Amino acid sequence: MNSPVAPNSFRTGPDHEGMFGIFGGRFVAETLMPLILDLEREWNAAKVDPEFQAELKSLSTHYAGRPSKLYFAEGLTRHLGGARIFFKREDLNHTGSHKINNCLGQILLARRMGKTRIIAETGAGQHGVASATVAARFNLPCVVYMGATDVERQKPNVFRMKLLGAEVNPVSAGHGTLKDAMNEALRDWVTNVEDTYYLIGTAAGPHPYPELVREFQSVIGIEARAQMLEQEGRLPDVVIAAVGGGSNAIGIFHPFLDDPDVKIVGVEAGGHGLSGDEHCASMSAGRPGVLHGNRTYLLQDEDGQIKDGHSISAGLDYPGVGPEHSWLRDTGRVEYVPIMDDEAMEAFQLCTKTEGIIPALESAHAIAQAMKIAPQMRKDETIIVNLSGRGDKDVHTVATMMGMEI
Amino acid sequence: MTDTRIDRRMAALKEEGRPALVTYFMGGDPDYETSLSIMKALPKAGSDVIELGMPFSDPMADGPAIQAAGLRALKAGQTLKKTLAMAADFRREDDETPIVLMGYYNPIYIYGVERFLTDAKASGIDGLIVVDLPPEMDAELCVPALKAGINFIRLATPTTDDKRLPKVLENTSGFVYYVSMLGITGSALPDTTKVAGAVARIKGHTDLPVCVGFGVKTAEQARAIGASADGVVVGTAIVNAVANVLGPKGDKTADPAEAVATLVSGLAQGVRSARLAKAS
């Protein structure tokens, strides 16, 4: 691929057209364009409005439980016998993942814009649950689109969303995963654009979504950076996060981008391996294209038709990635690597046994990467793994993989 | 830019004093040969402008009927290259009927914009409708297409207010496609009086013909919409006429081209009586 010249700062994007280099943009139907421009205006006003920031801060503290802890994973570190591993405990947030950070920010934007109905797409159900949660908290009706395959493999989350008062609409098109849910959410939005706010769950979609989701998730990296400095007196050597659409990853990466000594690694879902179609490693095995409102790396065939992909983890089961990640890949600032289903499964079990923490399968991909590199690093070096979510939702999938019934 | 077949056809129909019947079908549905026979049947049945659908795996602005048609076409091996070949095949017999390619940007982007425009021009393509390229992204394809002598037809929608309309119309040529409602293709047609008001509003900003689509299914609706619009676009009803003669395994229970021709003849009568209806 083309390698653009390294910029003075990696933290200034996107430009006023919503582009990160050639990535990003606003590739949407005209019906949505006026609303997207409204959203951009509202977002630009909100981000400098002290009242908005104060309300978000208060909800983050008292409702979501921030700041999340930076925890020294002593058991896992001892087991691997290399670099010291720290977990950024996003799994301890209200609703059990990082998704609540973005949902709180966006529900406040929706209210500012006077929207009275919330729609969302979800893969693993973590974003669906977080959306249903904030919708319940602010008494707004919420419709969640979820691939039929994901409805099947994430039943506990489907039930949680329903308990929270959301309507869950299974989508059977394609493979019935996140991509199909996003198509259907966009169709709903185009139909109900006047009263509806589309609460996108990842740092993708048309501008300004990638930017605003990143800003709401950057609290992860801002905290982690300060906590590391406070606890260890220096920055980490490596930061690792799993990348599906990439919201938890951009959230923890962004505040470290201009720290040149911090190596940053994004982990994509390698599924059954990159040689066939059974993976979701869009940046390792895809090429740039246009889908869901932005240009980014996509899994596609030579005719530009989007492939479905595969991952054991519903949250990573998406053939694209947020546009800022595509740009960070091409500039070389962040390294993106695949982790296979079986490696993630092993990490899931090892983390559970050595730390007493059941990680989400998404986060298990990041832990698996730490397992690969920690033994090769010195004992005085440090790694932060973004533990983006808890794994209770995945126990059925894991049991099936292990040939057990529960 | 120079006159295209679209400009000439629209001017002739204006002379004739009736709206255009614009017909959409999905290229390659249910297979290449059948689809080409449908395309050839369209002008004979009274279609004035052909919209040739380029199938895409993720058609975000389309309802279930066109989604399914696109998947049938892709399954049968349709590609953008084959869709262009279909237009070229059609052109061997008909050098008059305008052809507008309609679809999504990614297959064109992957084909390569310059190469696509060269091949489209050579295949006899007159215009493009690309759903996910709003004016904000004009540098991608719209401006190069205009330079290549291909019309770029823009969608205007009920959310395109008077403030935004000039931006939408700026690089539009051929005609303006007014999307009759907020929603996806194949939804219910809204109140025709509202549509007439919207058409009048757009005409206040441009001299281009205004065609109306999304939701027009019957000859009666075509007549009602055609009373105020310069053209009526029918898509989902045609795609359904194909689907209705396909058995559960894709086997044909009747000739799809004939089924489409029957429907289009009725619609053609609808548009031909549109201005009479208005006069009475």
Side-chain angles (χ1 to χ4, degrees):
Chain A
M1 266 328 288
N2 46 336
S3 314
V5 180
N8 293 328
S9 168
F10 288 93
R11 302 186 62 202
T12 56
D15 66 17
H16 65 286
E17 305 280 337
M19 306 297 288
F20 301 91
I22 66 159
F23 300 105
R26 287 178 284 216
F27 296 89
V28 295
E30 171 60 24
T31 311
L32 296 177
M33 233 8 256
L35 183 77
I36 283 178
L37 294 172
D38 277 353
L39 175 63
E40 188 184 359
R41 261 192 302 279
E42 209 61 54
W43 159 242
N44 284 333
K47 67 182 170 190
V48 295
D49 177 357
E51 227 171 280
F52 179 88
Q53 294 302 337
E55 191 176 9
L56 180 57
K57 179 96 194 315
S58 170
L59 283 164
S60 296
T61 306
H62 303 290
Y63 190 64
R66 299 211 74 86
S68 71
K69 306 295 181 217
L70 184 71
Y71 162 75
F72 172 47
E74 199 178 348
L76 185 64
T77 298
R78 197 182 312 120
H79 180 90
L80 295 172
R84 305 173 73 217
I85 298 171
F86 292 78
F87 288 162
K88 180 60 176 163
R89 298 292 306 276
E90 292 298 301
D91 60 315
L92 295 180
N93 295 337
H94 180 42
T95 74
S97 82
H98 70 288
K99 293 294 187 187
I100 192 77
N101 304 330
N102 169 45
C103 286
L104 283 173
Q106 286 202 53
I107 197 93
L108 294 183
L109 267 182
R111 277 160 49 95
R112 246 182 112 95
M113 294 178 76
K115 300 295 179 187
T116 54
R117 175 175 177 268
I118 302 297
I119 58 170
E121 85 295 337
T122 197
Q126 294 301 88
H127 174 60
V129 167
S131 299
T133 297
V134 297
R137 168 69 179 73
F138 288 99
N139 192 29
L140 292 169
C142 178
V143 175
V144 179
Y145 291 92
M146 187 168 185
T149 306
D150 292 339
V151 167
E152 204 44 48
R153 59 180 167 175
Q154 303 287 348
K155 279 182 189 157
N157 271 346
V158 174
F159 187 61
R160 287 164 83 193
M161 286 183 260
K162 287 180 177 166
L163 280 176
L164 289 160
E167 181 186 326
V168 180
N169 286 343
V171 180
S172 54
H175 277 195
T177 58
L178 185 53
K179 162 178 95 103
D180 312 298
M182 203 147 177
N183 286 337
E184 212 53 39
L186 283 163
R187 289 182 188 119
D188 179 313
W189 198 22
V190 102
T191 308
N192 301 295
V193 64
E194 277 163 350
D195 66 350
T196 297
Y197 184 91
Y198 181 13
L199 209 172
I200 295 186
T202 194
H207 177 68
Y209 280 104
E211 179 193 321
L212 68 87
V213 174
R214 177 196 74 203
E215 289 300 300
F216 292 139
Q217 292 294 2
S218 285
V219 66
I220 304 172
I222 292 168
E223 285 176 10
R225 197 172 178 282
Q227 288 165 327
M228 200 67 180
L229 286 172
E230 192 194 316
Q231 292 174 26
E232 296 292 309
R234 62 183 190 91
L235 292 172
D237 296 289
V238 183
V239 174
I240 304 174
V243 182
S247 70
N248 89 82
I250 203 68
I252 195 163
F253 291 171
H254 198 257
F256 289 103
L257 289 176
D258 287 340
D259 296 319
D261 295 334
V262 178
K263 184 176 161 65
I264 304 179
V265 184
V267 181
E268 296 194 282
H272 299 322
L274 302 194
S275 50
D277 284 342
E278 298 288 293
H279 64 82
C280 284
S282 50
M283 286 184 291
S284 304
R287 59 171 165 153
V290 173
L291 179 71
H292 294 153
N294 57 181
R295 175 159 40 221
T296 193
Y297 276 89
L298 297 171
L299 298 179
Q300 51 185 323
D301 68 16
E302 47 307 329
D303 189 45
Q305 308 297 335
I306 311 304
K307 293 183 183 178
D308 283 297
H310 156 83
S311 171
I312 185 180
S313 146
L316 302 183
D317 207 340
Y318 181 66
V321 65
E324 193 165 8
H325 286 293
S326 291
W327 179 74
L328 290 169
R329 172 204 185 275
D330 277 10
T331 54
R333 176 61 188 99
V334 178
E335 182 191 1
Y336 294 89
V337 297
I339 282 289
M340 310 304 146
D341 282 354
D342 52 354
E343 294 172 315
M345 274 289 293
E346 195 191 330
F348 178 94
Q349 292 173 71
L350 184 67
C351 178
T352 303
K353 281 183 184 147
T354 58
E355 288 299 339
I357 296 171
I358 303 178
L361 276 173
E362 292 78 19
S363 319
H365 282 72
I367 298 168
Q369 180 63 19
M371 285 164 59
K372 276 191 178 174
I373 63 170
Q376 269 98 57
M377 292 169 67
R378 292 195 317 269
K379 289 191 175 178
D380 62 345
E381 291 183 302
T382 57
I383 299 173
I384 299 180
V385 172
N386 197 14
L387 201 78
S388 55
R390 56 191 291 165
D392 305 54
K393 68 182 174 62
D394 293 314
V395 293
H396 281 88
T397 306
V398 173
T400 308
M401 287 280 288
M402 293 170 71
M404 291 159 82
E405 260 188 55
I406 47 176
Chain B
M1 62 187 279
T2 50
D3 262 14
T4 64
R5 290 185 192 88
I6 300 173
D7 301 325
R8 293 195 291 273
R9 176 61 52 96
M10 286 298 182
L13 291 176
K14 192 175 180 186
E15 222 24 44
E16 211 180 299
R18 69 164 177 91
L21 175 61
V22 182
T23 52
Y24 171 96
F25 78 110
M26 179 60 80
D29 172 33
D31 56 68
Y32 185 92
E33 287 306 325
T34 311
S35 189
L36 179 60
S37 71
I38 292 169
M39 189 175 188
K40 288 177 177 171
L42 288 172
K44 293 180 186 111
S47 166
D48 301 300
V49 177
I50 294 176
E51 279 182 19
L52 170 52
M54 303 177 279
F56 182 49
S57 53
D58 294 81
M60 283 100 65
D62 284 303
I66 293 181
Q67 286 175 47
L71 292 180
R72 283 194 299 270
L74 291 174
K75 214 173 157 194
Q78 190 74 3
T79 59
L80 181 50
K81 200 172 167 198
K82 286 186 183 172
T83 303
L84 292 173
M86 185 173 289
D89 277 347
F90 173 88
R91 275 278 170 258
R92 278 188 256 287
E93 289 178 20
D94 183 332
D95 198 33
E96 294 296 317
T97 309
I99 306 174
V100 176
L101 283 177
M102 182 166 183
Y104 297 81
Y105 184 42
N106 196 53
I108 296 172
Y109 178 69
I110 293 303
Y111 196 94
V113 166
E114 287 308 318
R115 183 179 152 227
F116 167 77
L117 290 172
T118 307
D119 292 358
K121 190 78 189 164
S123 308
I125 300 300
D126 304 291
L128 302 175
I129 301 176
V130 183
V131 180
D132 51 354
L133 285 179
E136 280 72 6
M137 310 309 293
D138 266 359
E140 296 280 335
L141 179 64
C142 172
V143 172
L146 295 179
K147 279 191 191 139
I150 295 178
N151 290 134
F152 200 86
I153 294 147
R154 185 90 63 199
L155 306 179
T157 73
T159 58
T160 316
D161 59 17
D162 284 324
K163 205 172 122 232
R164 185 167 166 80
L165 256 177
K167 187 164 177 86
V168 168
L169 295 170
E170 193 184 352
N171 287 325
T172 301
S173 63
F175 60 88
V176 181
Y177 186 137
Y178 180 66
V179 175
S180 68
M181 90 278 283
L182 300 177
I184 51 179
T185 53
S187 308
L189 185 73
D191 181 357
T192 50
T193 337
K194 262 194 194 164
V195 174
V199 170
R201 181 168 71 89
I202 295 169
K203 283 183 157 297
H205 288 263
T206 180
D207 294 331
L208 285 171
V210 179
C211 300
V212 175
F214 279 44
V216 186
K217 295 187 187 71
T218 65
E220 183 45 44
Q221 289 170 334
R223 195 172 71 114
I225 294 289
S228 62
D230 300 308
V232 181
V233 190
V234 182
T236 295
I238 291 171
V239 162
N240 276 335
V242 176
N244 289 342
V245 295
L246 297 178
K249 284 177 191 153
D251 45 317
K252 299 177 193 97
T253 56
D255 179 10
E258 217 173 284
V260 168
T262 307
L263 172 73
V264 171
S265 302
L267 294 165
Q269 279 175 5
V271 295
R272 277 164 179 79
S273 59
R275 296 299 158 82
L276 296 172
K278 194 184 183 185
S280 69

